[in-house]
Amino acid sequence: MPTYKGHLAGGAATFVAIHYISTKIFLTPPPTPKQIFFTCAFCLLGSIFPDIDTKSFGQKIFYTLLTVIIITAIIAQQWGLLSVLSLISVFPLLVNHRGVIHTVWFVTLAPLAIPLLIHYNSPELSQTAWLAYLYFLAGALSHLALDYEPWRKIRR
């Protein structure tokens, strides 16, 4: 079972692999340093995301970001968003570790709400939101792969 450092290393390796495949194999234009930082950050965030259901570095990051978003929602008087964020903040505390949050369908579908909402409310940011989602998803899937039971048996 990797620590958050192991999951961050897995997320970094996943980012490097995706970056190499997209630029060398699919011949996409080279990204700017800003795009590289942005996509790497989302891949690393995704790599620690499944551990929000336990006291961990991932949970600390999750609640820090959630607090910033909640304060922003209060300042903007977005009460509907605030109520949704309040429900989201309680969810990780109600589930078992390596339960629902450690499933492929959860790490795929739960974050999907964000680019969908951005696409609907701010179409000009849609492409950026989808790119962030894909790198976040890749990082989250790397976390699940590192936690996969057969790998743990092989390492023993």
Side-chain angles (χ1 to χ4, degrees):
M1 171 175 48
T3 64
Y4 78 91
K5 291 177 184 178
H7 286 301
L8 287 173
T14 300
F15 170 76
V16 168
I18 292 171
H19 179 73
Y20 178 82
I21 290 168
S22 68
T23 57
K24 302 295 185 204
I25 296 175
F26 293 116
L27 303 174
T28 60
T32 65
K34 183 179 176 181
Q35 290 169 325
I36 291 171
F37 174 79
F38 174 77
T39 52
C40 183
F42 273 90
C43 198
L44 293 174
L45 283 172
S47 73
I48 58 174
F49 172 71
D51 281 342
I52 63 169
D53 58 357
T54 186
K55 191 166 181 76
S56 65
F57 181 71
Q59 187 182 66
K60 185 176 182 179
I61 297 291
F62 173 75
Y63 280 115
T64 301
L65 291 173
L66 197 60
T67 300
V68 170
I69 297 169
I70 286 173
I71 290 169
T72 304
I74 291 170
I75 292 169
Q77 297 182 352
Q78 295 292 319
W79 310 119
L81 176 61
L82 183 62
S83 62
V84 170
L85 293 171
S86 298
L87 291 172
I88 290 171
S89 70
V90 176
F91 180 73
L93 304 173
L94 300 176
V95 296
N96 293 327
H97 183 53
R98 301 227 173 153
V100 68
I101 294 178
H102 271 75
T103 61
V104 172
W105 69 267
F106 183 85
V107 300
T108 302
L109 297 177
L112 183 60
I114 295 169
L116 288 173
L117 286 171
I118 291 172
H119 180 76
Y120 178 73
N121 292 310
S122 302
E124 68 279 3
L125 298 174
S126 183
Q127 184 177 2
T128 302
W130 285 109
L131 186 64
Y133 168 74
L134 290 174
Y135 275 88
F136 184 90
L137 177 61
L141 292 174
S142 76
H143 180 109
L144 298 183
L146 288 171
D147 279 357
Y148 188 56
E149 186 66 32
W151 303 138
R152 292 191 305 187
K153 288 180 182 175
I154 292 171
R155 282 185 270 152
R156 288 184 196 161

Coordinates of all heavy atoms in Angstrom, one line a residue, residues 30-71:
P30 N 3.6 21.0 -29.0 CA 4.2 21.0 -27.7 C 3.5 22.0 -26.8 O 3.2 23.1 -27.2 CB 5.7 21.4 -27.9 CG 5.8 21.7 -29.3 CD 4.6 21.4 -30.0
P31 N 3.2 21.6 -25.6 CA 2.4 22.5 -24.7 C 3.3 23.6 -24.1 O 4.6 23.4 -24.0 CB 1.9 21.5 -23.5 CG 2.9 20.4 -23.6 CD 3.3 20.3 -25.0
T32 N 2.7 24.6 -23.7 CA 3.5 25.7 -23.0 C 3.9 25.3 -21.6 O 3.2 24.4 -21.1 CB 2.6 27.0 -23.0 OG1 1.5 26.8 -22.1 CG2 2.2 27.4 -24.3
P33 N 4.8 25.9 -21.0 CA 5.2 25.6 -19.6 C 4.0 25.7 -18.7 O 3.8 24.9 -17.8 CB 6.3 26.6 -19.3 CG 6.9 26.9 -20.6 CD 5.8 26.9 -21.6
K34 N 3.1 26.7 -18.9 CA 1.9 26.9 -18.1 C 1.0 25.7 -18.3 O 0.4 25.2 -17.3 CB 1.2 28.2 -18.6 CG 0.0 28.5 -17.8 CD -0.7 29.8 -18.3 CE -1.9 30.1 -17.5 NZ -2.6 31.4 -18.0
Q35 N 0.8 25.2 -19.5 CA 0.0 24.0 -19.7 C 0.6 22.8 -19.0 O -0.2 21.9 -18.5 CB -0.2 23.8 -21.2 CG -1.1 24.8 -21.9 CD -1.1 24.7 -23.4 OE1 0.0 24.3 -24.0 NE2 -2.2 24.9 -24.0
I36 N 1.9 22.7 -19.1 CA 2.5 21.5 -18.5 C 2.3 21.5 -17.0 O 2.0 20.5 -16.4 CB 4.0 21.5 -18.8 CG1 4.2 21.2 -20.3 CG2 4.8 20.5 -18.0 CD1 5.7 21.3 -20.8
F37 N 2.5 22.7 -16.4 CA 2.3 22.8 -14.9 C 0.9 22.5 -14.6 O 0.6 21.8 -13.6 CB 2.7 24.3 -14.4 CG 2.3 24.5 -13.0 CD1 3.2 24.0 -12.0 CD2 1.2 25.1 -12.6 CE1 2.9 24.2 -10.7 CE2 0.9 25.3 -11.3 CZ 1.7 24.9 -10.3
F38 N -0.1 23.1 -15.3 CA -1.5 22.9 -15.1 C -1.9 21.4 -15.2 O -2.5 20.9 -14.2 CB -2.3 23.7 -16.1 CG -3.8 23.6 -16.1 CD1 -4.5 24.2 -15.2 CD2 -4.4 22.8 -17.1 CE1 -5.9 24.0 -15.2 CE2 -5.7 22.6 -17.1 CZ -6.5 23.3 -16.2
T39 N -1.5 20.8 -16.2 CA -1.9 19.4 -16.4 C -1.2 18.5 -15.4 O -1.8 17.5 -14.9 CB -1.7 18.9 -17.9 OG1 -0.3 19.2 -18.2 CG2 -2.6 19.6 -18.8
C40 N 0.0 18.7 -15.1 CA 0.8 17.9 -14.1 C 0.1 18.1 -12.7 O -0.1 17.1 -12.0 CB 2.2 18.4 -14.0 SG 3.2 17.4 -12.9
A41 N -0.3 19.3 -12.4 CA -0.9 19.5 -11.1 C -2.2 18.7 -11.0 O -2.5 18.1 -9.9 CB -1.2 21.0 -10.9
F42 N -3.0 18.7 -12.0 CA -4.3 18.0 -12.0 C -4.0 16.5 -11.9 O -4.8 15.7 -11.3 CB -5.2 18.4 -13.1 CG -6.1 19.5 -12.8 CD1 -5.6 20.8 -13.1 CD2 -7.3 19.4 -12.1 CE1 -6.4 21.9 -12.7 CE2 -8.0 20.5 -11.8 CZ -7.6 21.8 -12.0
C43 N -3.0 16.0 -12.6 CA -2.7 14.6 -12.5 C -2.2 14.2 -11.1 O -2.7 13.2 -10.6 CB -1.6 14.3 -13.6 SG -1.4 12.5 -14.0
L44 N -1.5 15.0 -10.5 CA -1.0 14.8 -9.1 C -2.2 14.9 -8.1 O -2.3 14.0 -7.2 CB 0.1 15.7 -8.7 CG 1.4 15.6 -9.5 CD1 2.4 16.7 -9.1 CD2 2.0 14.2 -9.3
L45 N -3.1 15.8 -8.3 CA -4.3 15.9 -7.5 C -5.1 14.6 -7.6 O -5.6 14.1 -6.6 CB -5.1 17.1 -7.8 CG -4.6 18.5 -7.2 CD1 -5.4 19.6 -7.8 CD2 -4.6 18.5 -5.7
G46 N -5.3 14.2 -8.8 CA -6.0 13.0 -9.0 C -5.4 11.7 -8.4 O -6.0 10.9 -7.9
S47 N -4.0 11.7 -8.4 CA -3.3 10.6 -7.8 C -3.5 10.4 -6.3 O -3.3 9.3 -5.8 CB -1.8 10.6 -8.1 OG -1.2 11.6 -7.4
I48 N -3.9 11.5 -5.6 CA -4.2 11.4 -4.2 C -5.6 11.5 -3.8 O -6.0 11.3 -2.7 CB -3.3 12.4 -3.4 CG1 -3.7 13.8 -3.8 CG2 -1.9 12.1 -3.4 CD1 -3.0 14.9 -3.0
F49 N -6.5 11.7 -4.8 CA -7.9 11.9 -4.6 C -8.6 10.7 -3.9 O -9.4 10.9 -3.0 CB -8.6 12.3 -5.9 CG -10.1 12.3 -5.9 CD1 -10.8 13.3 -5.2 CD2 -10.9 11.3 -6.5 CE1 -12.1 13.3 -5.1 CE2 -12.2 11.3 -6.4 CZ -12.9 12.3 -5.7
P50 N -8.4 9.5 -4.4 CA -9.1 8.4 -3.7 C -8.9 8.2 -2.2 O -9.7 7.5 -1.6 CB -8.6 7.1 -4.5 CG -8.3 7.7 -5.9 CD -7.6 9.0 -5.5
D51 N -7.9 8.8 -1.7 CA -7.7 8.7 -0.2 C -8.4 9.8 0.6 O -8.0 10.0 1.7 CB -6.2 8.7 0.1 CG -5.6 7.3 -0.2 OD1 -6.3 6.3 -0.3 OD2 -4.3 7.2 -0.3
I52 N -9.3 10.5 0.0 CA -10.0 11.5 0.8 C -11.0 10.9 1.8 O -11.5 11.6 2.7 CB -10.9 12.5 -0.1 CG1 -12.0 11.7 -0.9 CG2 -10.0 13.2 -1.1 CD1 -13.0 12.6 -1.6
D53 N -11.1 9.6 1.7 CA -12.0 8.9 2.7 C -11.3 8.4 3.9 O -11.8 7.7 4.7 CB -12.7 7.7 2.0 CG -11.7 6.7 1.4 OD1 -10.5 6.9 1.5 OD2 -12.2 5.7 0.9
T54 N -10.1 8.8 4.1 CA -9.3 8.5 5.3 C -8.4 9.7 5.7 O -8.1 10.5 4.8 CB -8.4 7.3 5.1 OG1 -7.8 6.9 6.3 CG2 -7.4 7.5 4.1
K55 N -8.0 9.8 6.9 CA -7.2 10.9 7.3 C -5.8 10.8 6.6 O -5.1 9.8 6.9 CB -7.0 10.9 8.9 CG -6.3 12.1 9.4 CD -6.5 12.2 10.9 CE -5.8 13.4 11.5 NZ -6.7 14.6 11.3
S56 N -5.6 11.6 5.7 CA -4.4 11.5 4.8 C -4.1 12.9 4.2 O -4.8 13.9 4.4 CB -4.7 10.6 3.6 OG -5.8 11.1 2.8
F57 N -3.0 12.9 3.5 CA -2.5 14.1 2.8 C -3.6 14.5 1.8 O -3.9 15.7 1.6 CB -1.2 13.9 2.2 CG -0.6 15.0 1.4 CD1 -0.1 16.1 2.1 CD2 -0.5 15.0 0.1 CE1 0.4 17.2 1.5 CE2 0.0 16.1 -0.6 CZ 0.4 17.2 0.1
G58 N -4.1 13.5 1.1 CA -5.2 13.7 0.1 C -6.4 14.4 0.7 O -7.0 15.3 0.1
Q59 N -6.8 13.9 1.9 CA -8.0 14.5 2.5 C -7.7 15.9 3.0 O -8.5 16.8 2.8 CB -8.4 13.7 3.8 CG -9.7 14.1 4.4 CD -10.0 13.3 5.6 OE1 -9.3 13.4 6.6 NE2 -11.1 12.5 5.5
K60 N -6.5 16.2 3.4 CA -6.1 17.6 3.8 C -6.2 18.5 2.6 O -6.7 19.6 2.7 CB -4.7 17.5 4.4 CG -4.2 18.9 5.0 CD -2.9 18.7 5.6 CE -2.4 20.0 6.2 NZ -1.1 19.9 6.9
I61 N -5.6 18.1 1.5 CA -5.7 18.9 0.3 C -7.2 19.1 -0.1 O -7.6 20.2 -0.5 CB -4.9 18.3 -0.9 CG1 -3.4 18.2 -0.5 CG2 -5.1 19.0 -2.2 CD1 -2.7 19.5 -0.5
F62 N -7.9 18.0 -0.1 CA -9.4 18.1 -0.5 C -10.1 19.1 0.3 O -10.8 20.0 -0.2 CB -10.0 16.7 -0.4 CG -11.5 16.6 -0.6 CD1 -12.0 16.7 -1.9 CD2 -12.3 16.5 0.5 CE1 -13.4 16.7 -2.1 CE2 -13.7 16.4 0.3 CZ -14.2 16.5 -1.0
Y63 N -10.0 19.1 1.6 CA -10.7 20.0 2.5 C -10.2 21.4 2.4 O -10.9 22.4 2.6 CB -10.8 19.5 3.9 CG -11.8 18.4 4.1 CD1 -11.5 17.1 4.4 CD2 -13.2 18.7 3.9 CE1 -12.5 16.1 4.5 CE2 -14.2 17.7 4.0 CZ -13.8 16.4 4.3 OH -14.8 15.5 4.4
T64 N -8.9 21.6 2.2 CA -8.4 22.9 2.0 C -9.0 23.6 0.7 O -9.4 24.7 0.8 CB -6.8 22.9 1.9 OG1 -6.3 22.3 3.1 CG2 -6.2 24.3 1.7
L65 N -8.9 22.8 -0.4 CA -9.5 23.3 -1.6 C -11.0 23.6 -1.5 O -11.6 24.6 -2.0 CB -9.3 22.4 -2.8 CG -7.8 22.3 -3.3 CD1 -7.7 21.2 -4.3 CD2 -7.3 23.6 -3.8
L66 N -11.7 22.7 -0.8 CA -13.1 22.8 -0.6 C -13.5 24.0 0.2 O -14.4 24.7 0.0 CB -13.7 21.5 0.0 CG -15.2 21.3 0.0 CD1 -15.7 21.2 -1.5 CD2 -15.6 20.0 0.7
T67 N -12.7 24.3 1.2 CA -12.9 25.5 2.1 C -12.7 26.8 1.3 O -13.5 27.7 1.4 CB -11.8 25.5 3.2 OG1 -12.0 24.3 4.0 CG2 -12.0 26.7 4.1
V68 N -11.7 26.8 0.4 CA -11.5 28.0 -0.5 C -12.8 28.2 -1.4 O -13.3 29.3 -1.5 CB -10.2 27.9 -1.3 CG1 -10.2 28.9 -2.4 CG2 -9.0 27.9 -0.4
I69 N -13.3 27.1 -2.0 CA -14.4 27.2 -2.9 C -15.7 27.5 -2.1 O -16.5 28.3 -2.6 CB -14.6 25.8 -3.6 CG1 -13.4 25.5 -4.5 CG2 -15.9 25.8 -4.4 CD1 -13.3 24.1 -5.1
I70 N -15.8 27.0 -0.9 CA -17.0 27.4 0.0 C -17.0 28.9 0.3 O -18.0 29.6 0.2 CB -17.1 26.5 1.2 CG1 -17.5 25.1 0.8 CG2 -18.0 27.1 2.3 CD1 -17.5 24.1 2.0
I71 N -15.8 29.4 0.7 CA -15.7 30.8 1.0 C -16.0 31.7 -0.2 O -16.7 32.7 -0.1 CB -14.3 31.1 1.6 CG1 -14.1 30.5 3.0 CG2 -14.0 32.6 1.6 CD1 -12.7 30.5 3.5

